[in-house]
Every structure is written in structure tokens, then in C-alpha cells.
Amino acid sequence: MNTLIKSAFAAALLLGASSAALAVERGGTMTYGRYADSLFLDPVLNDANVDIWILSNLYDTLILPSDDGKGLVPGLATEWKVADDGMSVDLTLRDGIMFSDGSPITQDDVVWSLKRAANPDNGIWNFLLVAVDDVVANGDKGITIKLKHPDPAILAALTVFNAAIMPKKQFEASEGATDADKAKAFAEHPVGSGPFVLKSWERGSTMELVKNEHYWAKGEDGQPLPYLDGITFELLPDDATRILKLQSGEIDGAELIPYARVEELKNASGINMEMFPSTRIADVIMNVRPQIEGKDNPLSNEKVRQAMNYAANKEAIIQIVTHGVGTPMSSYMSSATPLHTGEGAVFPYDLDKAKQLMKEAGFENGFSTSILVLAGSQDEIGTATALQQMWAQIGIKLELQQVDNATRTQKYRDGVFDMRAGAWTDDIADPNEITSYYVYSKNIQAVHSGWKSDRADELFEASQKETDPKTRADQYAEIQKIYNATGPIIPLYETPYPVALNEKVHGFLQIPLGNNVFRAAWMDK
């Protein structure tokens, strides 16, 4: 179980070779169109992609994921080793590393950051570090993470955003009596260890990042990264507006391009339409609590959920919404996630079976329900409209409620929703993250749905300590079997990440774990 990685070997992997044929140019500000604004820029106390995909540009971790999302490369640590008995990890910090304000990154900062991330009172991602018993300094540059038990995913966990290294002194000097209060104040003007620094943030409009003059990594020209002077994120929730601004040259990149426009942009002059490999899934998340705001909830009935799954023609939705780009989900997790099992759609289309299940559930005449979709999202609205027509065949009347991201997120977290269009991307090359979020009831009540399986909880807890690969694979196979049959989602499809870029942009990468990597991006002058 020994792992030792040297920085010289991994530097090429980290920085990639996408720009090797061109001479990189420094300077300039890249403007990038986002579908939704961030909510809270603290690495530990958040659970939204709109935050996570910004955090990786503001903060660094000891270990970074490789560009293919499957491996590990040095970050703030240059090497690491797991003890033979699996009960500790030793890491060596990089020389001369600094935070964005020029203060040194110390062993004390690392110890404090990891202990804060592992604290069960802080956020929902602490389960990734649940095996951590203590973190201590070791010599001049060493860090030792002592474990309560062997953890098969501990190294991968150190690449995740919540394990980011933060400045203890600056954080603790922030206003507030509690960690949450201090985090709120600190996140308004964060001091990080990543390639960029937050300059300004006009909520609901724009966010400006500028280069971290003290960043440790070097580019192809031997000078410190990043190449760009900065990034300006523009909030453009409407898909068509993002594309128009890209076509006119007002912005340099745009995320979450609707699949109906992909082919058009592939053929457009001056634009590179990228389809980055991903672990992204699209689903519908159901609230399965017996009552919602005092009213009986038909979705709490397992047979109703199964009927809705059988009545949802996933292949048709893939053609309608993704124009054939997607593939059916064969589990709640992406087929690119380690230990995934299954082939084909979890529930193949079977309208007769759906009608029979509705009858058995006592809802032969159907019922009315609703789904929260993001206003301006062509893909979400298209998916919900297709489901509206499909479920009408089994008597279900579906109301589409188009809302902004902040409103939907709050209703979702508060448990006052019927259904919502959902999407997920792994942040770690291990199935434990999505399983904790979707399945494990003790975390966030299984993707905020209220679903619970004692057996699935038991299996997940056991898998967190299991180091035998076959036994752990068997545990996850059983978890998937339980959840796929009775869980609170309509698994729809998995797709690559569609990102459109002006042809003058080079070196931008969205890795399969979702991170938007701007540190090696550059633009033609």
C-alpha cells in the first residue's frame, strides 16, 4: 500500500501538454460565461458545483488530481507515502510555498486546515476524511496524518476541495464567534493558495479573479503560472445569451452549452466546441418524505417511483435533449466512476409495467406533482417537458416550475420540493463521495430526498474501512442494487462536458471530476 510520487515526474502531467505545439503568450483577461453564480467561497462549508468549480482556482490541496481525473500529482506536497499497515500517511511540503497575500504556508496551516475539514461539525464533506484521527507536523517540512483505520480512498480524498490548505491566522482573525461565522466573513475576501485571487464579486452579475503573484507552479516558459492576468466570470443563466455573447466575441468561453447547439458550434468559425470527458450524470431527484408541507406525498410510495421510472423513455430523452450525445445511466453513479456496476438503463421503458405499478400503488388515476428546473436552461426544460408528456400516459400531471439557482437550492436543502432536475459530477476518483451524497442517509438524508436504507448505510460504513478490493467491490455492487431498485431518483443519462471557447483560448481544461482548470490557460494577443 506504499505510494511515493516525485514532483519531477508529475509536473508534466499536472501542467499538461495541450499547448506544446504553440508558444504560450502571457497576459490578458479571459471572460467566461457561467450558468449560475457562486453562493459561498469556503472550501469546507458548501455543497454546490457553482462554488466547487471556482474553489479549485482559489485554493490548492496537498495533492492534485491528474488531468484525466484518475491519478494523483503533487500540489502543495511534493511526495507522500502510506504506511505499510495503512494507519498513517506521511507527506513532504513543497519549499517556499506562499498564500496569495505573500505569507508562508506553514505546517501549522496544513494541520489546522485538515483538522477543520475532518471535523464532523463542519459541512457535509467531512466524511471523506472520517478516518483521520490526528494531523501533526513532522520535522521541518513533513506532515503526518494518523488514521483511526485504514482508508482505501485517503490519498484521493486529499485532492478534494474541502481538503484545501487555508491560512489559519487570517481565518481566525475574521469576524465571528463560530467557525461558520468566521467562514462567512473570510469567504468575502479569501486568502488562498491557488493560482488566482478573488478581486471583486458583484453577486448576480460578475466575479473577477486576478493572478496569484505567489503561486508555486511554473509554466512551459519556466515562469510562475498562471499565464493569464485574470478571469472575469459573467453570470449568464440563459443558454442563448451565453452563446450569442460568445459568437459576438464579448466573452471568451461558455459552459453548459445545450446539446441542441453543439453541432452548430462545432461548425462555427472562430469557436472551438469542446466535449470534455466527464463523470457527469443527469437525473431527477424526488422528495420521498411521507408528507411535504403537511400534504401526503405520492412519491413516498416505492411502486410509484418505479412506475415513473418505467414510464420515462430514457432513450427518447437522450435523442430529444442531448441529440444522441448521452448514454443511459446504468446506476446512480457514472460508468466512469470506479466500482460502477450495471449495463443499459436501470429501468428500461415499459409503459404497461408502469401502469400496473401505479394500479398496485393505489394511484391508477394518477396525481399532480411538480419539478423545479433552472430558468433559461434548454436542457433541463427540454427534459422536464418530455417527462411531462411521458408521465401523462400514467395519469401524472407534472407542473414545471422555472426558478433561479439560488431559489431552487434553498428549496432543495429545506426539503420543500416535489422533484428537481439534478446533475452530479464526481470530485474524487472513488465511489464514496457520490454514495455518501446520494445513498448514505446520515449525511444529507440521501441527496436531500429523505430516502433511507439501513442495509445501504451499513454497507457504506463498512466500505469506508475496507482495504480488500474484491470485498469493497462487492459492497458497492450491493449498494447499487438496493439504490437502483428503490432509490429516490429517475436516472436519465450521462454526458461529456460541453464547453465552447473562442479559438484564441488555449490550455483551458475541464477534467472528468468537473474542475475548471484555468491555471495553464492562455490567449492569443
Side-chain angles (χ1 to χ4, degrees):
M1 198 175 177
N2 287 352
T3 304
L4 186 64
I5 307 275
K6 297 290 186 181
S7 58
F9 164 75
L13 290 176
L14 173 61
L15 303 180
S18 58
S19 307
L22 300 170
V24 298
E25 296 185 47
R26 287 185 171 268
T29 298
M30 179 178 175
T31 304
Y32 193 78
R34 302 183 73 197
Y35 81 98
D37 200 3
S38 294
L39 304 170
F40 183 37
L41 297 178
D42 178 83
V44 173
L45 306 178
N46 73 77
D47 69 343
N49 280 339
V50 289
D51 296 324
I52 294 166
W53 294 354
I54 295 293
L55 292 172
S56 59
N57 293 287
L58 299 176
Y59 302 93
D60 255 358
T61 47
L62 295 174
I63 306 173
L64 296 172
S66 58
D67 287 352
D68 64 6
K70 298 177 182 179
L72 309 172
V73 296
L76 298 176
T78 57
E79 57 188 52
W80 51 88
K81 182 179 181 181
V82 178
D84 291 341
D85 62 2
M87 293 297 290
S88 64
V89 183
D90 288 325
L91 302 101
T92 302
L93 296 182
R94 189 179 295 277
D95 287 329
I97 46 179
M98 292 184 283
F99 289 110
S100 56
D101 64 355
S103 61
I105 298 174
T106 68
Q107 292 166 299
D108 196 33
D109 292 312
V110 175
V111 168
W112 173 83
S113 295
L114 295 182
K115 284 185 174 182
R116 177 174 181 250
N119 186 337
D121 295 329
N122 289 340
I124 66 169
W125 303 109
N126 50 71
F127 79 91
L128 290 170
L129 299 170
V130 71
V132 173
D133 186 40
D134 198 8
V135 185
V136 297
N138 180 3
D140 293 335
K141 297 189 299 178
I143 297 292
T144 297
I145 301 173
K146 299 178 181 180
L147 303 178
K148 301 170 188 173
H149 54 76
D151 181 350
I154 187 60
L155 293 179
L158 295 177
T159 72
V160 181
F161 54 88
N162 71 318
I165 305 307
M166 301 172 65
K168 177 183 177 181
K169 182 179 178 181
Q170 292 90 321
F171 184 95
E172 292 191 334
S174 300
E175 293 183 5
T178 67
D179 183 273
D181 291 338
K182 290 180 181 296
K184 185 175 181 181
F186 181 85
E188 291 299 311
H189 305 283
V191 175
S193 47
F196 292 93
V197 184
L198 179 66
K199 177 183 178 183
S200 67
W201 184 7
E202 185 179 342
R203 291 178 184 271
S205 178
T206 58
M207 177 187 290
E208 291 182 287
L209 307 186
V210 294
K211 70 187 298 180
N212 175 3
E213 299 288 351
H214 305 287
Y215 192 55
W216 59 268
K218 288 184 168 51
E220 294 175 12
D221 56 3
Q223 299 302 308
L225 288 175
Y227 299 119
L228 294 170
D229 290 333
I231 313 162
T232 297
F233 293 105
E234 283 197 19
L235 176 61
L236 302 168
D238 184 72
D239 294 339
T241 302
R242 286 200 304 284
I243 293 171
L244 281 172
K245 282 182 170 285
L246 179 69
Q247 291 172 322
S248 68
E250 294 177 69
I251 63 176
D252 304 305
E255 67 182 359
L256 293 182
I257 299 299
Y259 296 102
R261 304 291 299 275
V262 165
E263 200 60 34
E264 168 197 344
L265 292 176
K266 280 184 177 179
N267 297 318
S269 62
I271 292 175
N272 289 327
M273 182 65 237
E274 301 283 359
M275 300 295 280
F276 292 110
S278 84
T279 53
R280 186 178 189 272
I281 59 168
D283 55 23
V284 171
I285 298 165
M286 296 183 275
N287 187 339
V288 303
R289 296 172 178 87
Q291 289 193 328
I292 302 174
E293 297 186 296
K295 295 181 180 180
D296 289 343
N297 177 21
L299 302 179
S300 65
N301 190 305
E302 186 179 301
K303 288 187 176 181
V304 167
R305 300 197 297 273
Q306 291 172 344
M308 294 170 73
N309 260 298
Y310 280 118
N313 188 333
K314 282 79 168 184
E315 290 287 358
I317 290 172
I318 287 169
Q319 294 305 316
I320 294 167
V321 177
T322 79
H323 289 244
V325 170
T327 55
M329 288 173 61
S330 48
S331 175
Y332 64 85
M333 65 176 74
S334 159
S335 60
T337 302
L339 305 187
H340 163 278
T341 59
E343 293 182 7
V346 176
F347 288 88
Y349 180 61
D350 191 332
L351 187 58
D352 290 338
K353 194 166 187 176
K355 290 178 178 178
Q356 180 61 35
L357 284 164
M358 288 289 283
K359 183 177 181 179
E360 292 174 10
F363 289 97
E364 188 173 6
N365 296 322
F367 55 86
S368 297
T369 189
S370 64
I371 184 170
L372 298 173
V373 295
L374 193 64
S377 171
Q378 185 174 339
D379 290 341
E380 286 194 9
I381 295 169
T383 297
T385 301
L387 289 171
Q388 186 181 53
Q389 297 170 0
M390 293 170 183
W391 286 339
Q393 297 180 81
I394 57 174
I396 295 176
K397 297 178 182 178
L398 180 65
E399 175 193 358
L400 275 62
Q401 297 179 349
Q402 297 189 42
V403 296
D404 61 74
N405 188 61
T407 298
R408 179 169 70 176
T409 299
Q410 195 60 54
K411 285 179 173 288
Y412 171 58
R413 291 175 179 172
D414 290 344
V416 290
F417 70 103
D418 293 328
M419 290 183 284
R420 64 155 291 179
W424 170 271
T425 294
D426 294 342
D427 300 291
I428 181 174
D430 192 89
N432 67 348
E433 183 194 28
I434 187 172
T435 302
S436 170
Y437 202 84
Y438 269 64
V439 180
Y440 190 49
S441 68
K442 298 178 185 179
N443 189 11
I444 53 164
Q445 296 188 315
V447 75
H448 296 290
S449 71
W451 182 85
K452 178 179 173 61
S453 164
D454 291 337
R455 177 59 178 163
D457 285 350
E458 175 188 334
L459 286 164
F460 174 72
E461 289 173 356
S463 74
Q464 290 287 83
K465 305 174 184 179
E466 184 55 63
T467 57
D468 178 68
K470 183 182 185 308
T471 301
R472 195 163 187 255
D474 289 343
Q475 289 165 340
Y476 271 98
E478 186 176 350
I479 290 171
Q480 289 171 84
K481 184 177 180 181
I482 293 168
Y483 192 87
N484 292 344
T486 68
I489 68 168
I490 308 291
L492 296 173
Y493 54 82
E494 47 186 290
T495 54
Y497 301 123
V499 178
L501 301 166
N502 187 297
E503 64 179 2
K504 68 181 180 181
V505 174
H506 308 278
F508 169 83
L509 179 66
Q510 187 167 15
I511 70 172
L513 302 179
N515 303 24
N516 287 321
V517 182
F518 290 92
R519 69 172 164 260
W522 59 278
M523 299 191 301
D524 294 326
K525 294 289 179 66

